[in-house]
Amino acid sequence: MTFTSPAPHTEPMTRTIDDVTADRLGERLADAARRRRAIDPSALPELTVADGYAVQRATIDRRTANAGAPVGYKVGFTTPAIQEELGVDDPAYGHVLADTVQPEGRLDASGLIDPKLEPELAVRLGAPLDPPVTAVDVLAATDAVVPVVEVVDSRIEGWELTAGSAIADNALAARVVHGDAIGDPSGVDLSLEGVVVRRNGERVATGVGADVLGSPARVVAWLADALADRDERLTAGDLISTGSLTELIPFEPGDTVEARFASLGSVTVARE
């Protein structure tokens, strides 16, 4: 995966493309996902963060027909290292679509291009959240903590991404694989919840909740504010995946990957 920082003169939140261009790019990304044929990165204009969200909206409008209605959000760029590499100061979000959520087990990757895995802590809201939101507010509104393995995929060839293009590509969302365990938020310290990842039996990564903005609850608080800036809001029932606790995990045909969480059991996904 290669990240490219934006040109220094470009403000991340400034739109540089019009709605017609955003709609056209959204159609191209949706078509790339549908046909499993990645877009040549050189065919995309330089996209700011604001451009990326405009294209993302156009992409989601087209993908819901095949992947279901939005049921929540996924958040990325939640570590300082990734933010520095991308030249951004904030995380980014994409939408989780209903038909992309599945229980652990075998994963049919025939509809994906070049998937990789991220172990994450997800929360399910039992009440809406309206800004201003604190981490304490998030915990009070959360009715479940769910261990997940997020499958990410790039519809842009070779994972050659900028912050804007990654956001345009629905923040690289592909699948959310959940385990059987559902944690009581009052009994789980999100910042201290750890994970050990094994790929084909070999330990390959570890992480802890504090690695994402200090706590997954802070990630959700950030999301509530970011959505309000675009006239969206978090509602009861939303599932929010709060960012990878480790580096990206390769996921080749025949691989079996287990993410074992400290108090929430494990999530195992095997690629067909």
Side-chain angles (χ1 to χ4, degrees), residues 101-108 146-149 151 176-181 256-261 264-270:
V101 181
Q102 67 173 73
E104 66 177 339
R106 301 197 68 80
L107 177 78
D108 178 5
V146 185
V148 302
V149 170
V151 183
V176 176
V177 180
H178 61 84
D180 293 331
T256 296
V257 175
E258 178 197 47
R260 180 165 294 278
F261 293 82
L264 294 169
S266 64
V267 182
T268 300
V269 57

Side-chain angles (χ1 to χ4, degrees), residues 41-129:
S42 66
L44 295 174
E46 184 176 312
L47 299 173
T48 66
V49 167
D51 292 333
Y53 283 117
V55 176
Q56 184 187 118
R57 285 193 295 272
T59 304
I60 293 300
D61 287 345
R62 289 166 170 81
R63 294 189 63 186
T64 53
N66 295 320
V71 294
Y73 299 88
K74 63 97 62 186
V75 183
F77 310 170
T78 50
T79 65
I82 289 294
Q83 289 180 9
E84 182 176 357
E85 191 171 2
L86 285 170
V88 296
D89 297 322
D90 294 305
Y93 67 83
H95 294 75
V96 174
L97 304 179
D99 294 347
T100 68
V101 181
Q102 67 173 73
E104 66 177 339
R106 301 197 68 80
L107 177 78
D108 178 5
S110 62
L112 304 176
I113 298 172
D114 185 16
K116 304 179 190 299
L117 304 182
E118 298 179 338
E120 306 195 15
L121 294 168
V123 301
R124 187 182 66 202
L125 296 181
L129 281 171

